[in-house]
Amino acid sequence: MPSRLFSRSRVRVVLIVLGGAALAAVVILGETTAAMLGARLRALAGGPEGRPSLLVYALAAGFTFLAVLLPLPAEAAALLNGTLFSPVTAFWLTWVSAMAGAAASYECGLRLGHRPAERLFGVQRMARVQRLVDRAGWPTLLALRLSPVMAFTAINWASGILALSRPVFYLTVAVGLVPGTWVFTMAPELLLDRRATTRLVAVAGAVMLGLFGASWWRVRS
């Protein structure tokens, strides 16, 4: 019995890891491929009555947590969750797991990263950066969360290393996770529609510009 459970667990771990990479290519391969791959993944992960087992939920949550804690493709984890579970379940599982990963990154950076960063970059330089970020405030952090070029994990660790305010950090993470999580888990078909993708990028860009403008005003005032 233990060997059988281990074998099944190993298969599902491999499924989640490889599935994340495969789903990253789905956007390029098209909707038909996405449907076929999703059906196959659901069949492999199915539990009683075709529903995913508790083990699959745990593995999916763990993979999402690690994807945010470590420099892994968090989007792939969200896409995989959206394939395995119902949209609402996938959204909340991804959001909660990503929040946990972000919290772990921040707290580790806060406790372990500040002194090494000071030795690497210098105390004065770190102090200047921290003052600048503190003055810019939450608009900058939220804008960075919405930016497609900024690594989510890097922002989490940097926030801890710079000892940013916990309320500001957790508020911007909670809000900043919503758009991407919604798209990748509840409406992934938008990624296959060029016009819809263009609109999403335009809206995100406008919001980011507004937030960066607010940050600039806070720094200058």
Side-chain angles (χ1 to χ4, degrees):
M1 181 67 180
S3 62
R4 181 181 176 184
L5 179 60
F6 175 77
S7 176
R8 183 170 58 183
S9 301
R10 183 173 59 185
V11 168
R12 285 175 176 168
V13 169
V14 173
L15 170 67
I16 287 178
V17 174
L18 296 182
L23 283 171
V26 163
V27 174
I28 300 175
L29 296 177
E31 188 174 0
T32 302
T33 303
M36 293 174 59
L37 181 57
R40 183 59 178 166
L41 287 173
R42 283 190 293 271
L44 290 173
E49 300 179 2
R51 294 192 300 270
S53 65
L54 292 177
L55 178 61
V56 174
Y57 283 103
L59 290 173
F63 180 55
T64 306
F65 173 86
L66 290 176
V68 176
L69 178 65
L70 304 174
L72 299 174
E75 295 82 2
L79 277 169
L80 181 63
N81 294 339
T83 301
L84 293 176
F85 311 113
S86 67
V88 175
T89 299
F91 175 88
W92 286 109
L93 185 144
T94 302
W95 187 87
V96 171
S97 301
M99 280 293 298
S105 305
Y106 172 84
E107 298 298 337
C108 287
L110 186 65
R111 287 167 171 76
L112 305 174
H114 190 72
R115 289 185 179 178
E118 285 184 338
R119 289 195 294 268
L120 181 62
F121 299 105
V123 175
Q124 293 184 349
R125 184 176 298 175
M126 287 288 294
R128 287 197 300 269
V129 172
Q130 185 164 353
R131 286 195 299 269
L132 179 62
V133 174
D134 286 339
R135 291 186 64 185
W138 66 266
T140 294
L141 284 178
L142 187 55
L144 293 175
R145 297 288 179 191
L146 299 176
S147 171
V149 299
M150 289 299 298
F152 202 88
T153 300
I155 299 172
N156 298 334
W157 283 91
S159 298
I161 291 171
L162 293 173
L164 301 185
S165 164
R166 275 194 177 91
V168 170
F169 172 78
Y170 284 108
L171 177 61
T172 54
V173 173
V175 175
L177 276 172
V178 170
T181 303
W182 180 82
V183 169
F184 284 104
T185 60
M186 301 190 72
E189 66 276 1
L190 292 178
L191 300 175
L192 304 175
D193 186 335
R194 291 184 179 180
R195 288 179 297 180
T197 302
T198 301
R199 287 194 293 269
L200 289 173
V201 171
V203 171
V207 173
M208 281 191 296
L209 287 176
L211 290 170
F212 279 128
S215 300
W216 180 84
W217 181 82
R218 288 168 64 98
V219 171
R220 298 287 294 178
S221 61

